[in-house]
Amino acid sequence: MTTTMIEATNIVKVLGEGPARVEALKSINLSLVGGELTLLMGPSGSGKTTLLSVLGCMLSPTGGTVEIRGRSTTGLDAEELAALRRDNVGFVFQSYHLFPTLTAAENVRLALDVRGGCSRMARIKAEKALATVGLSHKARAFPRELSGGEQQRVAVARAIVGDASVILADEPTAALDSENGHAVMMMLAEIAKDPTRALFIVTHDPRIMPFADRILRIEDGRIVSDQRGGGRTSPLRALKYAS
Amino acid sequence: MTLILTLASRNLFHDRVRLIATAVGIVFSIVLVTVQLGVFLSFERMVTTMIDHAHADFWIVPSETKSFEDSSLLSGRERLQALSVNGVKAAVPAVVGYASWRKPNGGASTPVLVVGTPENSAGLQPWNLVEGNLRDLSLPEGVAVDRSYFDELGITKIGEHAEIDNQKARVVAASSGIRSFTTMPNVFTSLERARAYLGVPPNEANYFMVRLAPNADAAAVRGELVAHLSDAEVLTSEEFRHRTRQFWLFDTGAGAALLGSAILGVIVGTIIVAQTLYSSTKDHLKEFATLRAIGSSQIYILKVILSQALLSAVIGFSVAACIDLMLVRATADAALPIVMTPELTLGLFVLTLAMCAIAAVSAIRVVTRIDPVAVFAQ
């Protein structure tokens, strides 16, 4: 039994006005379910990041509805959308966006700190999340002391520490070499096994296709294909990435 | 503990050059404000020092007197009228006026403020005498001056002679700490000698200091005095202080200039802090956008910026307070020392916090416009 984490219906997003008006998303229908790793691929300017922003409650759609775990985002103001994000969505960014002045553990803890609540519990959860990504020994390191791969793993820990039901990742391997990209994808694929989480990854990188349960292709603001793959990452797929 | 303070302090210390610029702005501002307000307080105290040290329940002063140093003459009839009022124990005359002090051995002249009261009455006598005594003022030509003015008056020790408006004067007593807020030293002498120096006719005086008999009803006595004295005013010491302060601090514009400089200091400090905080926030916009993207509320981000501003305030104020203490010590013996009181220190701290909080407004305006989508921009 799968749980729908995000349900997007007839999403339209118009950017700009007048001559600069662009219909970035055109009637997108999409469901993300728990335990599934979905890739969104497409050329530059096809609407990938716009769709990610709409699903992540950063942009409000011009038309259509988005529901996060059954809660509609329609009519919510910026603060309410932020609250929805912090309780339900974890983000992994291409350039990590770690805070340079905070240690790895503090960067992870930040996702809980913005929620308020018990800081001792937040510390424990942050340690656990860092252990999940194999970086317990780097908890006190600052981002400048970490490699790109390690920084991205800290960002993954930050995304999962709050038990978000949806993890949205924007080109998570683009800034990494193949070895680190592979390690991060292995980790995300492992996280995606959790049926309480849906993973949605926007990418250009064809090497990560073997990790996907589902691959969407977007062109000119429309989803033009929706393929379900063979399932979980196998050693063979990992090898494919490396090659 | 929340990460707000950690983030704010790390942001602050991360860029040391900017932190130093912020601290310098605050220090400059607060030291300037302290100097101006400290001098203002000092001035405020000094302009009433004569009234503070006089033994008077009421002052009979010529109508429209603006300050202790600047009044016309009373005819002397007022003293008799005052003494005729029940409850008045004494009405001690005081003569006050400017004269020219010629230094010994034909030296140059310098203006002085001559204050004369009867030497045997507790009206207004020099205090803190360190050489000589009050009785010596009854000696021929006897005057008392503060030893801090010895150089200015051209004397080296008591017993030396000078001239006041071409009449002989001999320094018979010296005080310590009776500083004038003007450049003119105070010269205390007997009532009759002061009249002679200043050309005041017998019986006339600038003031009569009224002392009440024990158990006298002050309000009733004042009412009677006012009824009897149609050409003079009857003031309490507090009213006379207030009038003198009002004249020197505001009517002359001196106090307004000091307050104006203090306000300017606050404005300059606010602008400097606002500039550095604004540029720091601009540098960390990506981080604030990330905070917003991961779901932080506006309030959380505002707390980070305000914490940064208030930490800057604490750092800047601590340095400024040390400099202020040094200035207070350095000016302790100056004509117009900088005065620091616990209330002023607390007020300056609150002012620093407020200044930095206001300075944070421009930075806050920037972050409230942050679009979390900015995290996707490369």
Side-chain angles (χ1 to χ4, degrees):
Chain A
M1 180 72 184
T2 53
T3 309
T4 301
M5 301 299 176
I6 293 187
E7 182 80 55
T9 312
N10 285 326
I11 297 299
V12 174
K13 182 64 188 176
V14 176
L15 301 173
E17 288 176 5
R21 185 179 186 278
V22 175
E23 200 171 351
L25 299 177
K26 300 164 184 166
S27 289
I28 301 270
N29 289 290
L30 176 63
S31 286
L32 298 180
V33 297
E36 198 169 68
L37 192 157
T38 304
L39 289 190
L40 177 67
M41 305 186 80
S44 293
S46 57
K48 297 190 300 293
T49 303
T50 306
L51 181 57
L52 188 77
S53 304
V54 169
L55 296 179
C57 308
M58 291 190 195
L59 277 182
S60 295
T62 312
T65 58
V66 176
E67 287 183 2
I68 309 280
R69 300 200 67 187
R71 187 173 175 202
S72 172
T73 63
T74 306
L76 298 185
D77 63 22
E79 284 301 291
E80 290 167 327
L81 289 173
L84 205 57
R85 282 198 298 277
R86 73 175 164 258
D87 293 337
N88 296 286
V89 186
F91 286 97
V92 178
F93 306 105
Q94 179 180 338
S95 42
Y96 329 129
H97 288 313
L98 297 181
F99 287 71
T101 57
L102 297 183
T103 63
E106 287 165 343
N107 264 290
V108 176
R109 218 176 102 202
L110 198 60
L112 298 172
D113 201 60
V114 296
R115 294 182 180 184
C118 172
S119 61
R120 191 167 168 271
M121 190 59 75
R123 266 197 195 94
I124 294 167
K125 282 189 168 184
E127 283 168 17
K128 200 176 153 194
L130 274 177
T132 303
V133 299
L135 283 178
S136 294
H137 61 297
K138 299 274 187 172
R140 288 169 177 240
F142 286 92
R144 65 177 179 278
E145 297 162 344
L146 300 172
S147 69
E150 287 172 330
Q151 288 187 55
Q152 194 60 298
R153 280 151 69 189
V154 172
V156 171
R158 182 177 65 189
I160 63 172
V161 71
D163 298 323
S165 42
V166 183
I167 308 284
L168 301 178
D170 179 39
E171 305 277 9
T173 59
L176 302 176
D177 58 29
S178 58
E179 188 182 340
N180 278 307
H182 173 255
V184 166
M185 279 314 300
M186 287 290 282
M187 195 177 300
L188 288 173
E190 192 60 32
I191 289 164
K193 287 179 184 170
D194 183 347
T196 65
R197 281 199 183 108
L199 244 88
F200 185 73
I201 299 176
V202 166
T203 186
H204 273 107
D205 188 353
R207 293 176 301 176
I208 68 175
M209 286 168 65
F211 293 91
D213 297 305
R214 182 183 178 195
I215 299 173
L216 303 171
R217 288 183 192 278
I218 187 169
E219 284 177 23
D220 294 329
R222 286 183 204 282
I223 290 181
V224 293
S225 79
D226 183 351
Q227 293 177 305
R228 291 200 177 268
R232 293 287 162 229
T233 309
S234 65
L236 182 61
R237 286 190 172 125
L239 282 171
K240 274 184 183 174
Y241 185 99
S243 65
Chain B
M1 198 180 87
T2 175
L3 284 170
I4 289 173
L5 262 183
T6 309
L7 195 54
S9 59
R10 301 257 179 91
N11 278 355
L12 206 59
F13 287 100
H14 183 65
D15 188 344
R16 300 221 167 108
V17 174
R18 189 172 284 131
L19 173 62
I20 290 168
T22 308
V24 165
I26 296 169
V27 169
F28 168 79
S29 170
I30 296 306
V31 169
L32 180 61
V33 173
T34 306
V35 169
Q36 299 304 315
L37 292 184
V39 168
F40 182 91
L41 275 184
S42 174
F43 194 52
E44 189 183 39
R45 288 181 181 181
M46 289 184 84
V47 295
T48 63
T49 189
M50 291 290 184
I51 303 169
D52 295 339
H53 285 88
H55 299 276
D57 295 306
F58 294 116
W59 291 75
I60 298 173
V61 307
S63 296
E64 299 181 6
T65 295
K66 289 178 178 170
S67 71
F68 177 84
E69 291 76 11
D70 186 19
S71 81
S72 53
L73 289 168
L74 295 165
S75 66
R77 196 177 63 248
E78 296 84 353
R79 178 166 182 262
L80 300 175
Q81 288 171 318
L83 288 171
S84 70
V85 172
N86 269 341
V88 172
K89 182 180 159 192
V92 181
V95 168
V96 178
Y98 296 106
S100 177
W101 173 285
R102 181 176 290 278
K103 294 176 185 175
N105 306 318
S109 293
T110 186
V112 293
L113 182 75
V114 175
V115 178
T117 54
E119 59 270 25
N120 54 356
S121 72
L124 176 54
Q125 306 290 358
W127 58 96
N128 288 348
L129 287 185
V130 290
E131 287 180 87
N133 56 60
L134 288 176
R135 284 190 309 276
D136 295 340
L137 287 179
S138 59
L139 295 171
E141 301 148 8
V143 298
V145 296
D146 197 86
R147 65 179 174 187
S148 59
Y149 290 114
F150 273 16
D151 279 350
E152 201 171 334
L153 296 173
I155 55 174
T156 55
K157 59 182 187 298
I158 65 169
E160 290 188 345
H161 285 83
E163 282 183 11
I164 298 176
D165 272 16
N166 300 319
Q167 298 172 64
K168 282 190 176 175
R170 187 164 65 99
V171 178
V172 294
S175 62
S176 171
I178 306 183
R179 304 285 305 199
S180 167
F181 61 94
T182 65
T183 53
M184 287 168 266
N186 300 311
V187 175
F188 290 88
T189 186
S190 67
L191 177 66
E192 292 313 319
R193 196 158 301 112
R195 281 182 173 138
Y197 289 145
L198 299 171
V200 174
N203 299 324
E204 292 191 12
N206 295 88
Y207 308 110
F208 291 109
M209 291 172 280
V210 174
R211 301 196 62 194
L212 297 179
N215 303 322
D217 180 343
V221 171
R222 187 182 187 186
E224 284 233 21
L225 285 172
V226 170
H228 279 78
L229 302 166
S230 54
D231 295 333
E233 292 181 83
V234 180
L235 304 176
T236 62
S237 291
E238 189 46 50
E239 287 167 342
F240 199 18
R241 270 187 213 107
H242 176 75
R243 187 176 290 197
T244 299
R245 272 192 211 117
Q246 181 68 29
F247 174 75
W248 285 111
L249 290 174
F250 299 105
D251 294 355
T252 63
L258 291 170
L259 288 179
S261 302
I263 291 167
L264 194 68
V266 173
I267 292 170
V268 170
T270 306
I271 290 170
I272 294 174
V273 178
Q275 286 281 354
T276 52
L277 210 55
Y278 177 81
S279 57
S280 164
T281 304
K282 289 279 269 186
D283 281 359
H284 292 100
L285 268 187
K286 265 276 163 55
E287 290 160 36
F288 289 122
T290 305
L291 266 178
R292 199 72 178 126
I294 66 175
S296 125
S297 63
Q298 295 266 30
I299 297 289
Y300 187 94
I301 296 175
L302 298 193
K303 281 181 183 171
V304 173
I305 291 174
L306 269 181
S307 302
Q308 216 171 311
L310 298 182
L311 278 172
S312 308
V314 171
I315 294 166
F317 180 81
S318 305
V319 177
C322 293
I323 295 173
D324 289 342
L325 279 178
M326 287 191 278
L327 286 174
V328 167
R329 285 188 183 174
T331 62
D333 295 325
L336 207 52
I338 294 167
V339 172
M340 277 285 275
T341 62
E343 294 82 5
L344 178 62
T345 309
L346 183 66
L348 285 170
F349 182 59
V350 173
L351 177 75
T352 314
L353 294 179
M355 185 175 85
C356 290
I358 290 167
V361 167
S362 56
I364 286 169
R365 279 171 59 90
V366 171
V367 292
T368 51
R369 292 176 188 161
I370 283 180
D371 191 343
V373 177
V375 290
F376 295 121
Q378 296 305 309

